[in-house]
Amino acid sequence: MPELPEVETIVRDLRPSLIGRLFGRTRAIRKDIIHGAAEPIDTVLPGRRIENITRRAKRIVFELDGPTRMVVHLGMSGRLLLMPTRRAVAKHTHLRVAIRGAGLELRFIDPRRFGGVWLVSEKEGPTVGRTLGPLGPEPLDLSPARFARLLRRRRQIKALLLDQRMIAGLGNIYCDEALHAAQVHPVTAAETLSVSEVKRLLRAIKSTLNKAIRLNGSTMADYRRANGDPGSFQNYHRVYQRAGKPCKKCGTQIERITVAGRSSFFCPACQRLRV
Ligand SMILES: [Zn+2]
């Protein structure tokens, strides 16, 4: 599933080609992936200027010159690709939006259809919260004091980090990688972390996300950049999807357990559970 670094990569890929351009002919092939529109998307988008493209958590936000914003969520398997209009249309392409005068179009492709496109009012503000559910703060903007306040809970640290209402943008990959980098066991009760562990964990979250953004995200299966290329941070994973392989820090075998219903990978030596 695309997480913060993958979505940030797509936003950075799209900005130079699209800001200032106008949307053109819009074709919704599967209308059930489009939400929140009072009017059909093929009448809302054509002629709208793209003022900016931003990211909020795992959502791609197209700020337009009218009162409507287009928000794309990639769900589990979604791709948002920018390609020449004449290119063959791939299976599971649900939406095509032409870019006027550019010979290009945006295509939203999503085999599993957990993602979608939302047309939301500008009044919803930058969090785009009311339509798609509330979001906690962005991890890259978190101060140590606010992070420490969020962690004053008995919940397992990984379950808390995955909860988008607490912190928005982290998913399974970056939780596991950050917890390993900070040497914190995924089921540790959040409130039992010491002041120095909390600081170390926030530093690990930020440095893991920033490195992943520099490497254009992690391609495990479906994720692609806007031009169709894979990311490359998967080559630097230390624990994620590495059960049975040696820890890159200490050589101990990486283990897999289930936390909050998700597979979780950790090193039992680097990430000891306190009793
Ligand atoms: Zn280790």
Side-chain angles (χ1 to χ4, degrees), residues 22-65:
L22 304 187
F23 281 139
R25 185 180 176 196
T26 299
R27 282 171 278 192
I29 297 151
R30 271 203 80 117
K31 295 193 168 55
D32 58 354
I33 59 103
I34 295 158
H35 312 275
E39 290 177 59
I41 194 166
D42 55 1
T43 61
V44 173
L45 291 187
R48 296 271 68 78
R49 179 187 300 277
I50 303 163
E51 305 278 11
N52 201 3
I53 306 170
T54 57
R55 179 189 60 73
R56 174 70 174 106
K58 304 175 192 175
R59 302 166 188 178
I60 302 164
V61 182
F62 289 81
E63 297 174 12
L64 308 175
D65 65 345

Side-chain angles (χ1 to χ4, degrees), residues 26-249:
T26 299
R27 282 171 278 192
I29 297 151
R30 271 203 80 117
K31 295 193 168 55
D32 58 354
I33 59 103
I34 295 158
H35 312 275
E39 290 177 59
I41 194 166
D42 55 1
T43 61
V44 173
L45 291 187
R48 296 271 68 78
R49 179 187 300 277
I50 303 163
E51 305 278 11
N52 201 3
I53 306 170
T54 57
R55 179 189 60 73
R56 174 70 174 106
K58 304 175 192 175
R59 302 166 188 178
I60 302 164
V61 182
F62 289 81
E63 297 174 12
L64 308 175
D65 65 345
T68 304
R69 286 188 171 136
M70 180 171 81
V71 180
V72 179
H73 195 294
L74 299 170
M76 297 293 289
S77 58
R79 293 178 183 175
L80 187 64
L81 302 177
L82 182 66
M83 63 174 75
T85 311
R86 62 179 188 284
R87 196 167 299 169
V89 178
K91 210 173 164 186
H92 307 297
T93 299
H94 305 317
L95 177 69
R96 302 170 64 185
V97 187
I99 309 304
R100 221 169 249 182
L104 296 171
E105 66 181 32
L106 271 177
R107 292 185 187 171
F108 177 71
I109 300 163
D110 188 6
R112 298 180 66 184
R113 294 205 314 275
F114 285 103
V117 176
W118 282 257
L119 294 175
V120 301
S121 157
E122 209 176 23
K123 291 193 202 93
E124 297 220 14
T127 64
V128 209
R130 255 182 289 166
T131 308
L132 284 93
L135 293 172
E138 289 283 326
L140 290 171
D141 299 339
L142 262 181
S143 69
R146 186 160 186 204
F147 187 55
R149 279 199 301 279
L150 288 172
L151 264 46
R152 276 184 216 139
R153 286 172 172 79
R154 216 176 302 164
R155 287 179 78 183
Q156 295 174 335
I157 184 64
K158 180 167 173 187
L160 191 153
L161 295 177
L162 282 171
D163 184 343
Q164 301 298 298
R165 295 165 303 181
M166 303 298 299
I167 296 168
L170 295 173
N172 220 20
I173 298 174
Y174 299 102
C175 282
D176 282 2
E177 291 297 319
L179 287 166
H180 179 263
Q183 301 183 277
V184 173
H185 192 287
V187 306
T188 309
E191 65 179 3
T192 65
L193 292 170
S194 68
V195 174
S196 64
E197 284 172 322
V198 169
K199 283 187 181 157
R200 198 164 73 213
L201 179 55
L202 183 59
R203 272 201 306 273
I205 289 169
K206 290 183 180 183
S207 64
T208 303
L209 292 174
N210 282 323
K211 186 173 181 196
I213 292 168
R214 281 199 300 280
L215 292 165
N216 303 309
S218 303
T219 296
M220 305 306 291
D222 296 292
Y223 161 70
R224 292 290 183 280
R225 301 180 61 178
N227 65 3
D229 288 347
S232 51
F233 189 64
Q234 67 278 6
N235 301 321
Y236 298 86
H237 290 175
R238 290 171 160 238
V239 286
Y240 187 73
Q241 294 277 4
R242 297 191 65 250
K245 293 182 179 156
C247 171
K248 291 184 183 176
K249 194 160 176 234

Side-chain angles (χ1 to χ4, degrees), residues 180 247-252 254 267-271:
H180 179 263
C247 171
K248 291 184 183 176
K249 194 160 176 234
C250 75
T252 305
I254 300 299
C267 169
C270 291
Q271 297 163 268

